[in-house]
């Protein structure tokens, strides 16, 4: 064997080791990039969700502001709102409280009289 061939044979294990180390580093880098992309996708999804919630909240605010404008402009609308949503009544009004349909069915046991 020539001296050059012997030196080549001696370097071969180091080359294999170097290739393995470089390959492992490339693999680790690829995994880190993949995790970064996944985290970025999750963050973008969260942003979209928050934007949707913000749009819904803004819509609700607009609806409530419109309702408030209507109520401030009309005493009859204010009275109707107080009666329907707050269950208020004028002095002298007679208030009848009727049972809900589901409660009356449960009370009778599902049988007729």
């Amino acid at each position: 064997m020539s001296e050059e061939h012997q030196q080549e044979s001696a370097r071969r294990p180091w080359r294999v080791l170097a290739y393995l180390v470089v390959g492992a580093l490339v693999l680790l880098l690829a995994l880190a990039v993949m995790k970064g992309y996944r985290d970025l996708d999750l963050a973008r999804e969260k942003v979209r969700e928050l934007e949707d919630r913000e749009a819904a909240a803004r819509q609700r605010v607009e609806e409530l502001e419109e309702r408030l404008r209507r109520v401030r402009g009309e005493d009859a609308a204010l009275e109707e709102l107080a009666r329907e949503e707050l269950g208020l009544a004028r002095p002298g009004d007679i208030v009848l409280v009727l049972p809900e349909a589901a409660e009356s069915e449960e009370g009778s046991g599902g049988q007729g009289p």
Side-chain angles (χ1 to χ4, degrees):
M1 260 196 221
S2 73
E3 185 178 316
E4 198 174 294
H5 186 63
Q6 287 176 351
Q7 287 177 350
E8 184 67 30
S9 296
R11 286 189 215 149
R12 189 167 290 149
W14 290 105
R15 278 190 186 163
V16 171
L17 182 60
Y19 289 142
L20 288 174
V21 168
V22 169
L25 290 175
V26 168
L27 180 64
L28 288 174
L29 181 62
L31 290 174
V33 168
M34 287 173 46
K35 183 184 181 318
Y37 278 124
R38 190 186 76 214
D39 291 346
L40 183 60
D41 282 343
L42 290 174
R44 285 179 179 158
E45 183 179 324
K46 184 68 172 177
V47 167
R48 281 190 297 270
E49 178 185 327
L50 290 173
E51 287 172 345
D52 290 345
R53 289 176 57 190
E54 178 190 17
R58 285 183 189 274
Q59 178 66 31
R60 179 72 175 139
V61 166
E62 289 176 14
E63 291 170 0
L64 291 173
E65 286 175 346
E66 175 60 29
R67 188 174 182 188
L68 183 61
R69 280 191 291 273
R70 281 194 324 248
V71 167
R72 283 184 177 164
E74 299 179 24
D75 290 336
L78 181 60
E79 182 178 340
E80 181 182 339
L81 181 66
R83 289 174 179 269
E84 288 179 4
E85 293 195 11
L86 302 176
L88 299 179
R90 283 184 164 180
D93 281 353
I94 298 174
V95 178
L96 299 176
V97 179
L98 302 175
E100 304 245 350
E103 292 176 3
S104 65
E105 290 177 9
E106 289 175 9
S108 65
Q111 299 175 354

